[in-house]
Amino acid sequence: MAEMKSMMVENRVFNPSPEFVAKARVNSLEQYKEMYKRSVENPNEFWAQMAEENLTWFKKWETVEEYSFTDDIYIRYFAGGKLNVSYNCLDRHLDGPRKNKAAIIWQGEPLEDSKTYTYQQLHNEVCKFANVLKSQGVKRGDRVGIYLPMIPELVIAMLACTRIGAIHCIVFGGFSAEAIRDRMLDAKAEILITNNFGYRSGKFLGSKDVADAAMAQCPDIKKCIVVKRVDKECNMVEGRDVYWDDLMATASNKCEPEAMDSEDPLFILYTSGSTGKPKGAMHTTAGYHLYAMMTVKYFFDIRDEDVYFCTADIGWVTGHSYCVYGPLGLGATSLIFEGVPNYPAPDRFWQIVEKYGVNILYTAPTAIRAMMKDGDQWPKGRDLSSLRLLASVGEPINPEAWMWYYTVIGKEKCPIVDTWWQTETGGHLIAPMPGAHPMKPGSAVNPFFGVVPVLLTAEGKEAGVNEGGHLCMKKPWPGIMRGVYGDPNRFKETYFVQQPGHYFSGDGARKDEDGYYWLLGRVDDVINVSGHRMGTAEVESALVAHATVAEAAVVGFPHDIKGEGIYAYVTLKEGVEGTDELKKELVAHVRKEIGPIASPDKIQFTPGMPKTRSGKIMRRILRKIAAGAVDELGDTSTLADSTVVDNLVANRQ
Ligand code: 6R9
């Protein structure tokens, strides 16, 4: 388990500021506790009330919560109900004052590129693109691949899918052709939406070339719709590729929303696990949408007049739930940003906050640490007085970064909402209720309504105070994934077997004497690089796919900015020389196989791996060496060949 030592001694407590509490929806611990109690003692009544108040239904549900976490795993919310997510995100806001309100404010990477879509305008575009999808043969239940950067067309495409009941399957814009291919094949997609070129950190990206390389190996993809992000021609394949604008030019803006069942799939999003192949987390309609909305409403305490800025890329789950479905369901204004925090200068986020008067900012510890390193002069040079609430996601936020966020950005008046959750969970599970909970830097605090966490030891016993254990959930919540796409057994095996009868998150945590949760990192072979999950097995299989590599073992190591970096131990095939050139080649190879986020930070060539007599690589030892803790290697007597360790220590990178 990755230990966050500094957190173990953190005991500062900060109360939410009186000006925040004065306006908060939930403004006392008593109120939080009362609502929480009601939500877990009577979930059917609680979620029925939430569903009634927050969603618009074409047909009311018959049952509220039904599940089994043992034997045949199933989870159902609001069965029998009918609704449409795009209707809930758009149509129902058009009747009143929200009609002309900004739904999406888009800020491109180039400073001068920005655009606002009111709810009415977004509705128009979504209906048009829904008709485009139909004209291209897309039907209810079909999977639609999307490989786009952070541009408004991405949101339009997602909502258009939901309008006609198609299942979107978004691949993060930084992924490689191979990664797109694997996901499209697994999802059995027949259409891909992409763009011609893109921008990143001032550089030009050839997105279509990457998509072309992927599609060359996806015989089922018959159609490709290409957004012209940049006014420049790209390769277009006759009969397959067609420009977005050409199709939209003649599309009607009238499109009736499809009445979907509560449990119809909404989207598939691939995520890394401890085994090689990423799994397609499948989310369904009513429960997911309600849960994303409720967590924005309560954990971010969002207001109609707010400008809300989630900096995540929509290619990750945070962007799905917290750039799109949560805020738009509530009729809020969601600001989406194409660029990066440090281009053209390290104050890019603060420039955006100043320009649009952002009230709620949701970002990741890795970005906070990087900006912290660039110096306080950058945020200090901008007017940040509009900020009311700050939030964090992706990895544990270390107390130093928390304090910087709280003091330098929030001027000690904004609560810091550290949200713990996963692709699988659909929305936040543990975070402070901002107007109610005193905050402790580095703690994700308490569960959301209806969420029942428990910390279990490896033997399945409940862990004691501060003891630490596997973070599990005793029962479902509406946003939990419903299955691994195309592989029902994998759902059960991954999440419900290790701690029988429970959903096991794969994270370790401890609970302190006040009942506050402190996340301790993954307990499986998943590392967290800049808040993104990477299975060590994925990187290993990319490495061994290279002609020179005999064996590879990948571990995480502490990294100042990224949280964890990737350290690869590589044994080369007989006769191959381990040169610096080869290291570069291996890094390039991994980038090509998976994408830049999987690039090893360090590669160490080693003639052998530390193995047990049964042939298992002892990762514990590799992790310690990578972290530089060479005097903490512990018992190495079970190794088949203990001289391997001396060699590894001597050649540490
Ligand atoms: C939303 C998202 C999930 C994994 C999760 C955990 C880590 C996310 C965290 C956090 C501590 C937080 N994680 N948020 N750890 N504190 N506030 O990031 O989803 O990409 O699926 O990653 O990220 O290890 O298990 P995903």
Side-chain angles (χ1 to χ4, degrees):
M1 194 182 296
E3 280 175 31
M4 306 292 292
K5 285 223 178 64
S6 56
M7 282 188 186
M8 294 294 181
V9 296
E10 182 57 53
N11 50 23
R12 286 170 284 194
V13 178
F14 297 88
N15 285 310
S17 65
E19 58 261 51
F20 188 88
V21 176
K23 294 192 197 141
R25 237 175 219 115
V26 178
N27 59 13
S28 69
L29 263 184
E30 291 64 41
Q31 193 189 346
Y32 162 77
K33 285 181 183 160
E34 183 274 317
M35 284 181 77
Y36 180 75
K37 189 160 177 271
R38 195 151 53 87
S39 72
V40 296
E41 286 180 356
N42 207 339
N44 286 319
E45 189 190 290
F46 181 85
W47 289 116
Q49 186 197 336
M50 294 291 154
E52 185 83 55
E53 287 174 7
N54 292 283
L55 288 173
T56 304
W57 297 80
F58 298 149
K59 175 172 174 279
K60 201 176 159 164
W61 59 87
E62 279 148 24
T63 50
V64 180
E65 178 179 272
E66 298 164 285
Y67 73 96
S68 163
F69 270 10
T70 49
D71 304 323
D72 288 333
I73 311 292
Y74 67 87
I75 301 142
R76 284 193 292 269
Y77 281 86
F78 310 112
K82 289 201 187 287
L83 74 169
N84 180 281
V85 167
S86 87
Y87 184 91
N88 275 282
C89 286
L90 301 168
D91 305 52
R92 64 172 174 157
H93 303 314
L94 302 183
D95 288 344
R98 286 182 186 144
K99 178 179 175 193
N100 295 321
K101 170 181 175 175
I104 294 289
I105 298 174
W106 172 69
Q107 175 61 57
E109 178 169 293
L111 289 161
E112 64 285 3
D113 276 7
S114 71
K115 209 166 171 180
T116 296
Y117 289 81
T118 65
Y119 272 96
Q120 177 67 57
Q121 289 168 324
L122 189 60
H123 179 266
N124 256 327
E125 296 302 302
V126 168
C127 288
K128 277 162 63 182
F129 195 65
N131 283 323
V132 164
L133 287 173
K134 284 188 191 170
S135 77
Q136 300 302 299
V138 179
K139 297 180 303 300
R140 178 173 174 150
D142 288 353
R143 277 81 47 222
V144 174
I146 303 181
Y147 181 66
L148 284 174
M150 285 289 281
I151 54 177
E153 287 81 356
L154 174 51
V155 179
I156 294 166
M158 293 165 84
L159 291 172
C161 287
T162 72
R163 195 158 193 90
I164 64 171
I167 304 167
H168 60 69
C169 176
I170 302 181
V171 182
F172 169 58
F175 273 134
S176 66
E178 284 74 6
I180 306 172
R181 175 201 60 201
D182 293 347
R183 286 156 178 75
M184 293 300 104
L185 290 175
D186 190 82
K188 302 188 182 63
E190 295 181 11
I191 183 164
L192 182 69
I193 304 164
T194 189
N195 57 307
N196 60 348
F197 298 95
Y199 297 106
R200 189 157 180 98
S201 305
K203 290 199 260 324
F204 223 43
L205 298 179
S207 321
K208 180 62 165 45
D209 289 344
V210 179
D212 279 344
M215 285 188 287
Q217 296 175 64
C218 297
D220 289 343
I221 297 190
K222 311 261 166 28
K223 289 278 171 207
C224 177
I225 301 178
V226 183
V227 178
K228 262 194 182 175
R229 167 67 188 97
V230 177
D231 191 15
K232 191 167 143 86
E233 293 303 315
C234 66
N235 178 48
M236 294 292 278
V237 173
E238 184 75 42
R240 185 193 69 185
D241 302 351
V242 38
Y243 282 116
W244 170 290
D245 289 340
D246 294 345
L247 294 168
M248 289 290 267
T250 53
S252 150
N253 65 357
K254 302 267 179 302
C255 177
E256 281 303 307
E258 191 76 18
M260 304 304 289
D261 291 335
S262 292
E263 288 296 344
D264 274 336
L266 181 67
F267 67 83
I268 301 165
L269 184 61
Y270 286 83
T271 187
S272 299
S274 46
T275 52
K277 193 174 156 229
K279 44 185 176 292
M282 191 184 71
H283 284 284
T284 58
T285 301
Y288 167 83
H289 196 201
L290 179 65
Y291 197 77
M293 285 169 54
M294 299 320 301
T295 44
V296 175
K297 186 164 172 175
Y298 287 99
F299 276 149
F300 295 161
D301 203 30
I302 201 165
R303 305 282 147 183
D304 241 318
E305 59 277 16
D306 281 339
V307 175
Y308 159 79
F309 177 19
C310 169
T311 70
D313 192 293
I314 293 173
W316 306 107
V317 73
T318 305
H320 281 62
S321 300
Y322 297 109
C323 289
V324 183
Y325 294 119
L328 298 185
L330 293 165
T333 296
S334 177
L335 193 162
I336 64 170
F337 173 45
E338 184 186 34
V340 297
N342 61 356
Y343 179 84
D347 63 347
R348 192 66 203 273
F349 280 3
W350 319 125
Q351 179 259 334
I352 293 173
V353 168
E354 185 179 76
K355 178 173 173 189
Y356 297 100
V358 171
N359 306 102
I360 300 176
L361 176 72
Y362 189 23
T363 192
T366 184
I368 296 169
R369 286 190 299 265
M371 293 187 291
M372 207 171 135
K373 212 169 174 177
D374 289 326
D376 294 1
Q377 70 276 21
W378 296 104
K380 287 199 169 137
R382 298 286 181 179
D383 179 3
L384 306 182
S385 60
S386 57
L387 290 171
R388 194 177 82 249
L389 181 142
L390 301 171
S392 168
V393 62
E395 57 178 312
I397 177 165
N398 46 307
E400 296 72 21
W402 195 102
M403 287 307 299
W404 185 82
Y405 204 25
Y406 184 66
T407 53
V408 178
I409 306 306
K411 319 281 190 245
E412 298 175 32
K413 69 180 175 50
C414 303
I416 305 288
V417 181
D418 176 6
T419 62
W420 176 82
W421 62 293
Q422 312 175 290
T423 303
E424 294 86 339
T425 72
H428 310 144
L429 291 195
I430 302 182
M433 192 57 70
H437 278 112
M439 296 164 283
K440 301 185 188 184
S443 169
V445 186
N446 275 5
F448 190 64
F449 305 130
V451 172
V452 189
V454 60
L455 297 175
L456 298 175
T457 63
E459 297 74 40
K461 297 220 171 48
E462 202 162 330
V465 171
N466 282 322
E467 191 188 342
H470 292 170
L471 177 53
C472 299
M473 301 296 147
K474 287 188 180 173
K475 66 177 291 284
W477 56 96
I480 186 177
M481 70 187 274
R482 302 298 198 263
V484 173
Y485 186 75
D487 196 349
N489 288 335
R490 202 164 167 207
F491 184 46
K492 179 171 178 178
E493 275 150 27
T494 312
Y495 304 103
F496 298 96
V497 167
Q498 203 164 341
Q499 296 285 2
H502 295 83
Y503 167 84
F504 173 39
S505 65
D507 279 23
R510 74 181 167 97
K511 198 161 124 175
D512 72 13
E513 48 291 343
D514 297 322
Y516 276 40
Y517 286 88
W518 298 76
L519 276 301
L520 301 171
R522 301 286 303 191
V523 298
D524 54 13
D525 289 322
V526 172
I527 51 186
N528 190 323
V529 185
S530 301
H532 300 312
R533 265 159 79 168
M534 194 40 63
T536 51
E538 270 176 82
V539 186
E540 286 162 8
S541 60
L543 283 166
V544 290
H546 192 272
T548 62
V549 176
E551 189 166 41
V554 168
V555 297
F557 70 98
H559 188 288
D560 278 356
I561 303 291
K562 298 181 183 181
E564 277 188 286
I566 299 179
Y567 195 115
Y569 295 90
V570 171
T571 304
L572 295 169
K573 287 188 180 152
E574 246 348 275
V576 180
E577 205 193 330
T579 60
D580 284 346
E581 283 311 299
L582 182 55
K583 278 188 190 172
K584 285 195 194 120
E585 195 179 315
L586 292 177
V587 170
H589 172 74
V590 174
R591 289 172 72 97
K592 182 177 164 293
E593 289 285 314
I594 307 173
I597 53 164
S599 303
D601 297 276
K602 294 181 179 181
I603 293 184
Q604 176 172 354
F605 293 123
T606 172
M609 298 291 177
K611 287 186 184 171
T612 61
R613 279 161 229 269
S614 63
K616 259 199 154 128
I617 296 181
M618 289 185 76
R619 291 168 178 281
R620 177 177 61 79
I621 292 177
L622 294 177
R623 275 195 282 267
K624 290 283 182 197
I625 295 173
V630 291
D631 46 355
E632 295 171 23
L633 296 183
D635 183 12
T636 55
S637 63
T638 54
L639 287 175
D641 173 3
S642 56
T643 63
V644 169
V645 173
D646 302 333
N647 182 293
L648 282 167
V649 171
N651 295 299
R652 205 185 141 247
Q653 299 295 295

